[in-house]
Amino acid sequence: MAAPWRPDPSKGVFETLLVLDGRPVELEAHLSRLDESLSKVFPTLRRPRIALEAPLEGDAVRIDVAPRGARLEARVSMREIEHHGRGSLCSLRLAGGLGPHKWADRSLLNEAQAALPDDALPLIVDEDGTALEASRANVFAVRDGVLVTPPLDGRILPGVTRMRVLRIAEALGIESREEPLSRDDLLAADEAFLTGSLRGVEPAGSLDGHPVPGGGPIAERLAAELRRAWTGLGTAASFGDRLARPHAAAGLRTRQDGKTAQQSCADLYP
């Protein structure tokens, strides 16, 4: 049964941006998406002017905007990025998906994430079995050399990195399609990976306990070109250092009860 949950709009929406050499990456695209969400979620409230002054300290910057009385208030905070090994995906059924806005109310996702190891992510799946997106990333699959990702049909976030990867694929001459993906499509794909604004292209490791062919030549080409696009605002060395930085929680982790990500998926989302 789908989770009977919808976000609390009063908590607002947010954006997270990678920071390289003190500068936010893809700032214009993120602010444009934020403004689009605010205009639709809070059409009668005046939207705040958001300015980020470089150099910024930290790996990432988060921008939260929420209603405060008769106006919208913006809050900017710096974050560090946690890096883990190849991720596991665990299906979480949610009718209609999370929608096109990056809601600050992530209570459902946080609850699901708390029951999983650090390297596992919830994968939002609609009632019809359509795989929509991960909790913090868009989903891609490669089938017979064709790049496929779910369409922007109102059920998923229009990811900034998703958009960039599709443009890179077009420039490289890689055929791409925006069409529905099922769980079986991901399991049968030649490659399956995630895209997000902080970690770029991430290979998937497993889905509900079943191995997924995460890495591959197309994902590697897209990741390399994405790095080049992003490091136009910084240096290749600084971006490489960020991705390679060890983290205490890296690798396959177990929960306190000793269960692995694959076992956790079977428990939570059979």
Side-chain angles (χ1 to χ4, degrees):
M1 181 179 294
W5 178 89
R6 281 295 177 264
D8 179 0
S10 69
K11 296 183 178 180
V13 294
F14 75 103
E15 291 287 325
T16 51
L17 296 79
L18 180 70
V19 174
L20 292 177
D21 289 348
R23 296 182 177 275
V25 174
E26 303 275 19
L27 176 60
E28 183 177 347
H30 280 281
L31 291 182
S32 176
R33 184 176 69 181
L34 179 62
D35 190 68
E36 179 73 10
S37 287
L38 293 174
S39 67
K40 292 180 177 180
V41 178
F42 307 108
T44 63
L45 299 184
R46 182 178 179 180
R47 300 191 290 279
R49 180 179 178 275
I50 300 171
L52 301 179
E53 296 183 3
L56 300 172
E57 299 292 335
D59 290 342
V61 58
R62 171 166 168 155
I63 305 170
D64 284 87
V65 181
R68 295 291 183 268
R71 64 188 179 90
L72 291 170
E73 181 178 279
R75 180 169 58 87
V76 176
S77 56
M78 300 306 302
R79 301 295 175 93
E80 299 298 322
I81 302 174
E82 294 184 355
H83 298 284
H84 307 295
R86 178 174 294 191
S88 302
L89 297 173
C90 298
S91 296
L92 173 61
R93 288 193 177 273
L94 178 62
L98 293 170
H101 308 299
K102 201 173 180 71
W103 298 106
D105 178 9
R106 295 174 64 84
S107 54
L108 175 70
L109 298 177
N110 291 340
E111 180 181 350
Q113 186 67 66
L116 297 175
D118 291 332
D119 76 325
L121 292 175
L123 174 71
I124 309 303
V125 178
D126 208 339
E127 287 185 309
D128 61 2
T130 303
L132 299 176
E133 59 186 332
S135 59
R136 58 167 172 74
N138 290 109
V139 179
F140 283 82
V142 178
R143 302 183 303 206
D144 299 323
V146 179
L147 185 66
V148 183
T149 192
L152 301 180
D153 59 6
R155 293 184 292 176
I156 70 170
L157 185 73
V160 170
T161 305
R162 173 190 181 277
M163 173 189 67
R164 176 67 69 181
V165 165
L166 287 173
R167 290 179 178 175
I168 290 173
E170 181 180 10
L172 293 175
I174 298 172
E175 182 181 352
S176 63
R177 301 174 186 167
E178 296 181 66
E179 60 186 36
L181 285 171
S182 68
R183 289 174 65 259
D184 289 342
D185 289 332
L186 292 175
L187 291 171
D190 300 317
E191 304 176 44
F193 59 89
L194 310 174
T195 62
S197 294
L198 299 186
R199 299 165 182 83
V201 174
E202 294 181 273
S206 66
L207 172 57
D208 296 333
H210 302 284
V212 173
I218 289 182
E220 290 171 0
R221 289 180 68 191
L222 294 171
E225 290 302 321
L226 179 64
R227 286 195 294 270
R228 292 189 181 97
W230 280 358
T231 55
L233 297 175
T235 66
S238 67
F239 182 65
D241 289 345
R242 292 288 174 84
L243 292 186
R245 180 181 301 166
H247 188 273
L252 180 64
R253 295 290 302 275
T254 58
R255 302 188 304 181
Q256 289 184 352
D257 60 10
K259 291 186 176 181
T260 65
Q262 294 182 1
Q263 292 169 321
S264 297
C265 286
D267 288 346
L268 291 172
Y269 318 119

